[in-house]
Amino acid sequence: MEVRRRSNAETKVELPGSHSVLQQRLRSVSQESDELLMYAADVQEREKSPIHEAYAEGQTISAKVMGFHDDLESWGYRNFPVITDHFNFLVYGVDLAVRSIRWFQFGFAACWLGFRLCLYAVMLLPAFVRIMLTYYHDPRIHRRIRYGPAEREYLDIYVPKEALEKGAKVPVVIAVMGGAFIIGHRGYNAQLGLRLMEFGIITVGVDYRNFPRGCIPDMVEDVSRGVRWVFQNIERYGGDISNVMLMGQSAGAHLAAMLLLEHSLLEAKHIADGKDFNDNWSVKDLQAFLGISGPYHLEKLGPHLSSRGLYPGIMTHMTAGDLPGCSPEALLQNKEWKAVGKAAASQLPPLHLFHGDCDKAVPVWSSEQFAAALKDAGAKVVLDVRKGMTHTYPVVEGPMRRHDPQVELVLPMMLGTGAEKRIAEEKQLPPMAPLRMLDLAGIISPF
């Protein structure tokens, strides 16, 4: 590590870039086994690293207290899952407010957006409660399965009846939720998972550390470990590892895209060195990638956030000071990518980028420019821009009114010919809320 001396005898440590950090971490994760105890030493070493010390001060507690907390939390989830989950959410919210208040602006525009968000949530509360009750009580959902040792490294598995048959091998969708990198929860995948079970598809909702308890390299590492876990374990639940797709929405689309590009680059560099990439999973093992409303270049997103009264500097903290190193689109201009870009792009599965042209949270140009960059890099990519759709319509209002763009996209990728016919023949369920209420919520939504 390079150390530069100042004239006043102070020293400055040059932190490794996020790209370099991710390459090292992803290589390590791809080779991990399923024994969680083997992760411990790696986690302890990571907490001693300069990048962790510089951007995660005050976030570690003694192992003894942490062990007691984990035991108590596990007991609560076994016996009182709803109460425990909501208590944890409350504690996290207070902690988030205390840690991050200095990064937010409280001008009129920001407060107006916050008011609209609260009103939006209240209007859709009855539907949210129905989804929540199903999430906690549907026996087909295997909740809170640990896939790694770090905080929030849990996943949920939605297992359809078809997967319970002897010798079953059903398609698998790995879903990474959004939440602005700050307020995500794997439970956000509930509507998607419940719907896909009706078509005999397993959905795995992968959680990850949220900011400020983790920065974006931590989140990408978490998603990578979750994907590795799926390829090593999903056959136990009736899943077919030869028919797996990765998808993400909003922040989840960004993290999943980062993982795909970084992992494909890692594999291409390995092959260029004349070595076989015999690890637990490869991007070539994925059938497709679906990115919904993703922010694919964080540096370019700054002016848009400022125009909405939000503080764009928070992304500097989220990325450990390296916005380009944490942006999928910028990675395609990296000198390492240009060196082996053609080989890296050949590793990628077919990519489908979906965006609504009325998205107020992440402008549609985010997907348009990323798609163009991917095409120039030699990747197989489809850009799908839908008129009139907002940021939340594909994942909230749409499914609530029984129009689910995600399912309409996933089924042809997973089931092939005849998927559209199955959708058309599926029994139409009544909307989860009055259509006028859903329309009004979409207008009020700050997204």
Side-chain angles (χ1 to χ4, degrees), residues 404-439:
D404 199 330
Q406 294 183 108
V407 172
E408 293 174 0
L409 292 169
V410 168
L411 290 188
M413 297 179 189
M414 292 282 91
L415 303 181
T417 306
E420 292 84 354
K421 184 179 179 181
R422 288 193 60 180
I423 295 174
E425 292 176 348
E426 190 72 13
K427 181 181 178 182
Q428 187 66 30
L429 298 173
M432 299 184 68
L435 294 181
R436 289 186 179 179
M437 180 71 76
L438 291 170
D439 290 338

Side-chain angles (χ1 to χ4, degrees), residues 16-30 266:
S18 295
H19 165 67
S20 299
V21 170
L22 267 175
Q23 286 283 291
Q24 296 170 8
R25 292 190 186 184
L26 296 183
R27 179 59 176 161
S28 176
V29 168
S30 68
L266 180 66

Side-chain angles (χ1 to χ4, degrees), residues 19-88:
H19 165 67
S20 299
V21 170
L22 267 175
Q23 286 283 291
Q24 296 170 8
R25 292 190 186 184
L26 296 183
R27 179 59 176 161
S28 176
V29 168
S30 68
Q31 296 176 314
E32 288 175 348
S33 74
D34 255 349
E35 294 297 328
L36 295 181
L37 293 178
M38 296 179 66
Y39 292 59
D42 182 58
V43 173
Q44 291 170 3
E45 288 301 316
R46 191 173 308 135
E47 290 179 350
K48 296 176 185 176
S49 69
I51 196 168
H52 190 282
E53 292 175 359
Y55 294 101
E57 288 182 3
Q59 294 189 35
T60 59
I61 60 178
S62 71
K64 184 175 180 180
V65 175
M66 179 65 81
F68 173 76
H69 170 268
D70 287 347
D71 291 343
L72 182 62
E73 187 176 67
S74 295
W75 177 86
Y77 274 107
R78 284 195 305 270
N79 296 278
F80 307 101
V82 180
I83 294 174
T84 303
D85 221 1
H86 284 76
F87 176 78
N88 280 344

